[in-house]
Amino acid sequence: MSRNRTERLVNLVICLLSTRRLLTAAQIAATVPGYEHDPSDAKEHEAFQRKFERDKAELRELGVPLETGTSSAFDAEPGYRITRRDYALPDIILEPDEAAAVGIAARLWQHAGLAEAASSGLAKLRAAGVEVDPQATLGVEPLVTVDAAFGPLTAARRVRRVVTFDYRVVEHDAATTRRLQPWGVVCWRGRWYVVGHDLDRDAERCFRLSRIVSPVQAIGPERAYEPPGDVDLISYVAHFSGPVEHVLRTTVLVKPGRAAGIRRFAQSSTPVEGGDRVVVTYSDVRSIAGWLVRYGADVEVLDPPEVRAAVIELLRDVAKTYAHDDTARIGVS
């Protein structure tokens, strides 16, 4: 399935989840990105109808409960919607590593063109006087974002175009301009990296996206190079980053019988009132905070203050995202 069709299907689902009334095909065409056409042009309208029929069939094949009907006896054209109670999944219990994988995937949405298109579609619905349920799309919205360079780099990688950008390393104040054939973008220890062939140095290199200090520009023609098929990007970044020494310690209170992943890496564990006082080592505040947050209310950070503050900040970000959803509130003190 092409990326454009995937985005169109996702935005169609968001559109139909966000309204409590049935939307006609004409209203959907005026709202969902990818369906734009001139209704007065017979060929364009016929092409839209074929596309819409294929998309409806695809959604039903995927198990999406697409409801068809009319809002009143006077409606000549059928309408469509997806009711949240039929679409919602039952509660799913994820292990911490599974939750982490879902979290990484969620980060991609913000820069895959989906969030902006979805917001635009909902705005069109409101402008047309359609009542929109602001809580209906909680399951498909991103919680966090990735670096601004992520989108341009992944777009260039898809069509194999060379990119150029200014890059600053810790050891130098001034940024240098790099030209890169990007092979891929990967996440390692909570940070995003691009791996590729540095044209100026004629060597393999990886760059941390947060250190790219200029817009990423694609240059030259498409299909300008062929990425090697045998490179393990994660292993390359891990080797490039070097071993990390876990010399710092944090103490957490773990509920009885919970957070097995934390207990596995404990330096010590002492039974206390309310659970176990567990000590684990770490090297980076941001990374350890992101790891601890995955365990939710099963873990409370006792010290040091900077780790506790980082965890609270992350929880507040999530709480703000779901501030109006009573089923997803997170208490932060």
Side-chain angles (χ1 to χ4, degrees), residues 231-245:
V231 175
D232 184 339
L233 300 182
I234 289 287
S235 296
Y236 184 87
V237 172
H239 175 75
F240 169 84
S241 301
V244 175
E245 294 186 13

Side-chain angles (χ1 to χ4, degrees), residues 12-13 16-17 19 22 55-69 79-89:
L12 176 58
V13 171
L16 297 179
L17 269 173
T19 176
L22 295 158
D55 289 351
K56 286 192 297 180
E58 180 76 21
L59 290 182
R60 288 183 172 121
E61 186 176 338
L62 291 172
V64 176
L66 187 62
E67 180 183 343
T68 305
Y80 307 88
R81 70 181 173 191
I82 301 170
T83 56
R84 189 179 181 187
R85 67 177 182 275
D86 295 331
Y87 182 75
L89 290 170

Side-chain angles (χ1 to χ4, degrees), residues 240-254:
F240 169 84
S241 301
V244 175
E245 294 186 13
H246 295 260
V247 297
L248 303 174
R249 291 171 175 262
T250 182
T251 304
V252 298
L253 178 65
V254 180

Side-chain angles (χ1 to χ4, degrees), residues 159-201:
V159 296
R160 305 202 300 278
R161 291 186 70 187
V162 174
V163 296
T164 181
F165 51 83
D166 293 339
Y167 190 75
R168 178 178 290 127
V169 295
V170 177
E171 295 81 6
H172 304 286
D173 291 332
T176 57
T177 300
R178 304 296 183 98
R179 293 185 305 139
L180 184 74
Q181 295 174 341
W183 296 344
V185 179
V186 294
C187 184
W188 173 248
R189 289 178 177 153
R191 295 185 174 89
W192 291 92
Y193 296 83
V194 58
V195 180
H197 183 76
D198 189 320
L199 294 176
D200 297 305
R201 290 157 178 77

Side-chain angles (χ1 to χ4, degrees), residues 202-224:
D202 192 23
E204 298 177 1
R205 290 288 188 272
C206 74
F207 301 92
R208 203 164 95 186
L209 268 58
S210 61
R211 293 178 180 167
I212 295 177
V213 295
S214 71
V216 175
Q217 300 289 337
I219 58 175
E222 296 183 0
R223 295 180 292 279

